[in-house]
Amino acid sequence: MRLTPGSVLFCFVVIICSSCPSLQVSPGQLTKKYSSCSTIFIDDSTVSQPNLKSTIKCVTLAIYYHIKNRDSDRSLDIFDEKKHPLSRDEVPDDYSRNDPEHKHIYRFVRTLFSAAQLTAECAIVTLVYLERLLTYAEMDICPCNWKRIVLGAILLASKVWDDQAVWNVDYCQILKDITVEDMNEMERHFLELLQFNINVPASVYAKYYFDLRSLADDNNMNFPLEPLSKERAQRLEAICRLCEDKYKDLGKTAMRRSFSADNLVGIRRSNAVLS
C-alpha cells in the first residue's frame, strides 16, 4: 500500500506518543469490561461504522499531539484567530503561547459535530485533510490557528464525505460571530493549499482508522464495549451466513475453472484425415 505524506506524519505522531509516557493523556480511573459465561461484550466500532464519540476523542487527541509536538509556529494569516476571530470576545495577547488542552479541542469539535449532525467517518476524513494541509502548505498547527484549521477541515470533510452537506451559512448559525464571506474565503484558501487534492482512498481511510485505534490503546482510551443482545447476535449470524454462502459460490466457480484447465492436459491430438 502506498503511504501518503499525511499518513507518514500521523505514524510519526503515534510513535512519539507511544515512546513518551509523559505526553500521554490520562483518562482517570479505568473500568474495563470482561466477557463471562452469561454476557459477551463486543466492540461496536468498525471501520465502516466507527463509534462517533470515541472517534472524535481520538481525532482531537491526534490534533492535541500535533500542537504539543510542533517544532515551530509557521502559520498563514487566513488561519490566524487574531486577524480572523471566530467570536466577538477579545483574543488575549498571549493567545499564541498557551497550548490548548485536549478537553478544549474535544469540546470545540464535539460542538460542531453535534450541531451539524456529522458522522464519525467525517471526523476521520477531517484528520486526513488537516494533516494533508500541514504537509502541503509546510505549516504548523499551533495555539493561534488550530481552531480555524480544524473548522476548515471539518467544513471540507462534511461537503466531500456526507451525502447531505452542511452549507457555510449553517456554520454561521453555530458560530454566531463568523461571517459567510470569511467562511468562503477560508474554504477557498484551504482547497488551494491542498492543491484541490480531496480524494481519500479506502486504503488511506482504513489506515487512519486503525492508527486512531492504536493511539487510543496507547493512551488507555478504550472504545466502548456493549453487551451482545439476542437481536444483534441473530443479525451477526445472518451476516455470517451470507458471507459464507458468497465464498462457497466463489469457491465453486474457482474449482470449475481450475478443473476445466486441468482437462486441457489430457486432450489428445487427433490424426489428420487427408482426402
Side-chain angles (χ1 to χ4, degrees):
M1 180 180 66
R2 185 174 64 87
L3 293 177
T4 63
S7 60
V8 173
L9 185 61
F10 185 78
C11 289
F12 174 76
V13 173
V14 173
I15 294 173
I16 289 294
C17 298
S18 303
S19 58
C20 299
S22 60
L23 293 178
Q24 296 180 359
V25 176
S26 176
Q29 188 175 2
L30 301 176
T31 56
K32 189 172 182 180
K33 299 178 181 178
Y34 295 92
S35 299
S36 63
C37 297
S38 59
T39 306
I40 299 177
F41 290 98
I42 60 174
D43 189 346
D44 69 340
S45 181
T46 62
V47 68
S48 59
Q49 291 182 336
N51 179 274
L52 177 60
K53 184 177 180 180
S54 299
T55 302
I56 293 178
K57 281 187 176 181
C58 293
V59 169
T60 53
L61 184 60
I63 297 172
Y64 168 81
Y65 282 131
H66 272 303
I67 299 173
K68 198 75 175 175
N69 300 327
R70 71 187 187 280
D71 296 325
S72 59
D73 291 325
R74 299 171 299 175
S75 185
L76 297 173
D77 290 345
I78 188 61
F79 299 115
D80 194 320
E81 196 174 348
K82 186 78 170 180
K83 298 178 180 179
H84 299 275
L86 296 179
S87 66
R88 296 179 182 177
D89 298 335
E90 185 178 356
V91 180
D93 295 333
D94 60 347
Y95 77 108
S96 61
R97 295 193 296 270
N98 297 325
D99 292 344
E101 298 181 11
H102 174 235
K103 63 180 180 181
H104 294 153
I105 304 174
Y106 172 77
R107 193 178 302 131
F108 178 76
V109 175
R110 179 69 177 177
T111 300
L112 292 176
F113 269 71
S114 299
Q117 297 181 352
L118 302 178
T119 62
E121 297 90 339
C122 184
I124 297 176
V125 178
T126 295
L127 183 61
V128 175
Y129 288 157
L130 186 148
E131 294 191 341
R132 195 173 289 178
L133 174 74
L134 300 183
T135 302
Y136 284 21
E138 297 181 351
M139 58 182 295
D140 301 288
I141 183 169
C142 49
C144 68
N145 64 15
W146 72 268
K147 283 187 178 180
R148 289 182 63 85
I149 289 179
V150 171
L151 176 60
I154 292 175
L155 172 65
L156 192 59
S158 64
K159 291 185 175 182
V160 174
W161 192 261
D162 286 350
D163 295 332
Q164 296 180 348
V166 182
W167 297 94
N168 291 5
V169 67
D170 296 325
Y171 285 100
C172 296
Q173 299 296 324
I174 303 172
L175 303 169
K176 301 292 184 181
D177 300 325
I178 194 171
T179 63
V180 179
E181 292 76 17
D182 186 17
M183 293 285 292
N184 294 339
E185 184 182 6
M186 182 174 60
E187 181 184 12
R188 179 173 59 83
H189 277 80
F190 207 110
L191 280 169
E192 290 176 353
L193 291 170
L194 288 183
Q195 303 173 19
F196 296 92
N197 180 14
I198 57 176
N199 181 42
V200 180
S203 58
V204 173
Y205 172 87
K207 185 182 186 308
Y208 268 79
Y209 170 80
F210 289 110
D211 283 345
L212 285 170
R213 293 202 63 129
S214 298
L215 185 63
D217 292 338
D218 293 338
N219 289 271
N220 295 323
M221 292 172 54
N222 297 319
F223 277 62
L225 298 176
E226 300 294 337
L228 180 62
S229 62
K230 181 179 179 181
E231 293 76 14
R232 188 169 185 185
Q234 291 173 344
R235 289 199 301 270
L236 289 174
E237 185 178 2
I239 293 174
C240 291
R241 287 177 179 174
L242 287 175
C243 294
E244 190 178 69
D245 294 340
K246 178 181 178 181
Y247 286 119
K248 280 183 179 179
D249 294 338
L250 291 175
K252 290 179 181 178
T253 303
M255 287 181 63
R256 285 198 297 269
R257 289 177 180 174
S258 61
F259 180 73
S260 60
D262 291 340
N263 283 346
L264 293 176
V265 180
I267 298 178
R268 297 180 179 179
R269 295 181 179 179
S270 59
N271 296 325
V273 179
L274 301 178
S275 57

